[in-house]
Amino acid sequence: MDDEAIHDARNDNTMGCSMNIDHILLIGYGGPRCPDEVMPYIKLMTESKDVSHKALESIASRYQEIGGASPYHDQVLSFSRRLEKTLQDSDVHLAVFTGMKNWHPFLDETLRNIHQKRLRNGIAICLTAFPGAAAGAKYREALDSAKTALKLPDINYEFIAGWYDQRYFIEAQTELISEKLREIDSEKRQTTPIIFSFHSLPLKSGRTASGSNYAEEARVSSELIAKRLGHVKWSISYQSRPAKAKGEWMGPDITETLKALAREGEKQVVIVPLGYFCEHVEILFDLDCHVRTIAEQLGMRYLRAEPILNHPKTIPLFKGLIEAQLGRHSNE
């Protein structure tokens, strides 16, 4: 794949309209902010499913393993503050708000705050690089539902969902992986397998239930990064499928990939949580506890790259997306 396939920030992944933009809204997944919120959060997430109390306790125990709660909220809030300061320093005077789909501050709470500040036209950015992920469409639906529930038709948004092939994203991920590869003996770095990991989704007739291009986006992004690294031994796997999930889901599962690599005689592996913006339970427990244990049982050294959140190029990535939408994109 040519370097030209790596894109600078642009408008072609947005819903364009002519508005006087007065704020930015970051839309995230959400998660329990403290131990007291863990069980209410889990019950909310499973209320439409037949989940036993024992199963709820099992899910809650995962948060105990990672410190008692999810770091997601605090990480995203810190990021939003840094983004707002960067915009202000660049003479882009827009307030940055955060709203979560699944926990506090819920989108309706954030929209109420925005409305009270008499702000009406915003750019909404979904905190996933992959617009084909089910989250992308669901976040947009959640935003529309919150507006309808609050009867706020006068708040309007241009929606940015996805940056999986953006230059800063590819460069940042490449640098994060390179940093992890440096922990490996130099003569083994180029032959150590890399697994790009994404959240699995249910399939319907061989495609994601939403009919999206998620798998293709994952392939394109992974291929761009691997090419930039000059690394040929890489693969894509999926993780975090619910234990009792029914039907066909995206695969291969990351544990099956590890077993295949072990049969080939591999002794170490680098896991890249490419489908995730920042650390939360899917990384800290599903990968760092569950997958690590399986890797070690297979006699493999487990190394895991950091997600993109705190990389120095992530703020410029978002700044570029915003400036492109404003028609003020710079070449920085």
Side-chain angles (χ1 to χ4, degrees):
M1 185 169 294
D2 297 333
D3 286 342
E4 286 75 11
I6 303 177
H7 294 98
D8 291 309
R10 61 186 190 274
N11 286 327
D12 61 10
N13 65 347
T14 64
M15 292 176 59
C17 57
S18 178
M19 298 193 301
N20 184 20
I21 301 298
D22 53 26
H23 69 281
I24 306 297
L25 173 62
L26 303 181
I27 305 177
Y29 189 85
R33 300 165 295 184
C34 62
D36 288 345
E37 291 184 351
V38 170
M39 189 55 75
Y41 169 78
I42 294 171
K43 288 181 178 179
L44 177 65
M45 296 297 294
T46 59
E47 64 181 355
S48 63
K49 305 170 186 176
D50 184 17
V51 181
S52 67
H53 180 73
K54 183 178 180 180
L56 293 175
E57 291 288 348
S58 176
I59 297 171
S61 69
R62 301 174 187 177
Y63 288 93
Q64 296 173 6
E65 291 286 334
I66 65 171
S70 171
Y72 187 93
H73 170 269
D74 290 347
Q75 290 179 350
V76 170
L77 184 61
S78 174
F79 176 81
S80 70
R81 289 170 177 166
R82 288 186 284 125
L83 176 60
E84 182 175 274
K85 183 179 186 305
T86 298
L87 292 173
Q88 297 284 342
D89 290 346
S90 301
D91 202 30
V92 180
H93 299 288
L94 298 174
V96 179
F97 298 86
T98 58
M100 306 297 177
K101 176 180 178 293
N102 297 307
W103 199 243
H104 303 284
F106 285 108
L107 278 168
D108 59 349
E109 298 169 358
T110 302
L111 287 180
R112 189 178 293 111
N113 182 26
I114 290 170
H115 192 264
Q116 289 173 349
K117 294 181 182 296
R118 300 183 182 278
L119 301 173
R120 296 295 182 266
N121 300 311
I123 296 173
I125 307 178
C126 182
L127 295 180
T128 173
F130 300 89
K138 289 182 178 179
Y139 287 7
R140 193 179 305 220
E141 292 170 4
L143 179 59
D144 289 340
S145 296
K147 285 177 54 181
T148 300
L150 293 172
K151 299 180 180 179
L152 298 177
D154 56 335
I155 294 185
N156 301 292
Y157 285 99
E158 298 178 4
F159 206 94
I160 297 176
W163 53 88
Y164 67 95
D165 59 352
Q166 297 287 305
R167 183 174 300 277
Y168 278 142
F169 178 70
I170 300 302
E171 290 177 355
Q173 293 287 359
T174 300
E175 291 167 14
L176 289 166
I177 299 167
S178 295
E179 181 179 327
K180 189 56 58 174
L181 286 170
R182 284 194 288 272
E183 297 181 22
I184 300 171
D185 293 340
S186 58
E187 66 273 14
K188 297 180 180 179
R189 286 176 192 164
Q190 290 302 309
T191 57
T192 295
I194 294 174
I195 301 176
F196 294 103
S197 186
F198 299 83
H199 201 295
S200 186
L201 297 175
L203 293 175
K204 184 177 181 180
S205 300
R207 291 176 61 85
T208 59
S210 63
S212 73
N213 295 318
Y214 182 36
E216 175 62 12
E217 293 162 2
R219 183 198 64 78
V220 168
S221 189
S222 301
E223 189 171 308
L224 286 169
I225 294 166
K227 181 177 180 180
R228 194 171 187 87
L229 282 168
H231 208 92
V232 296
K233 194 170 181 62
W234 62 274
S235 61
I236 292 172
S237 293
Y238 296 88
Q239 64 169 87
S240 303
R241 173 182 172 176
K244 295 185 178 181
K246 298 179 180 179
E248 185 182 4
W249 283 60
M250 298 180 76
D253 186 85
I254 191 169
T255 59
E256 296 304 316
T257 301
L258 285 177
K259 292 173 184 177
L261 290 172
R263 288 193 295 269
E264 295 172 6
E266 297 293 348
K267 297 301 181 183
Q268 55 194 353
V269 63
V270 175
I271 308 295
V272 181
L274 193 58
Y276 300 92
F277 180 66
C278 64
E279 290 185 337
H280 48 101
V281 70
E282 281 83 357
I283 293 178
L284 298 176
F285 181 83
D286 293 357
L287 289 181
D288 289 353
C289 294
H290 177 62
V291 172
R292 177 195 289 272
T293 297
I294 292 174
E296 292 176 349
Q297 289 173 346
L298 292 168
M300 301 177 71
R301 180 188 179 193
Y302 169 96
L303 299 102
R304 193 261 295 168
E306 297 295 315
I308 192 177
L309 173 74
N310 290 318
H311 191 278
K313 291 183 178 177
T314 305
I315 291 291
L317 165 65
F318 275 64
K319 177 174 175 284
L321 292 169
I322 292 166
E323 288 181 334
Q325 191 69 6
L326 293 170
R328 299 172 55 190
H329 175 57
S330 69
N331 293 319
E332 296 179 0

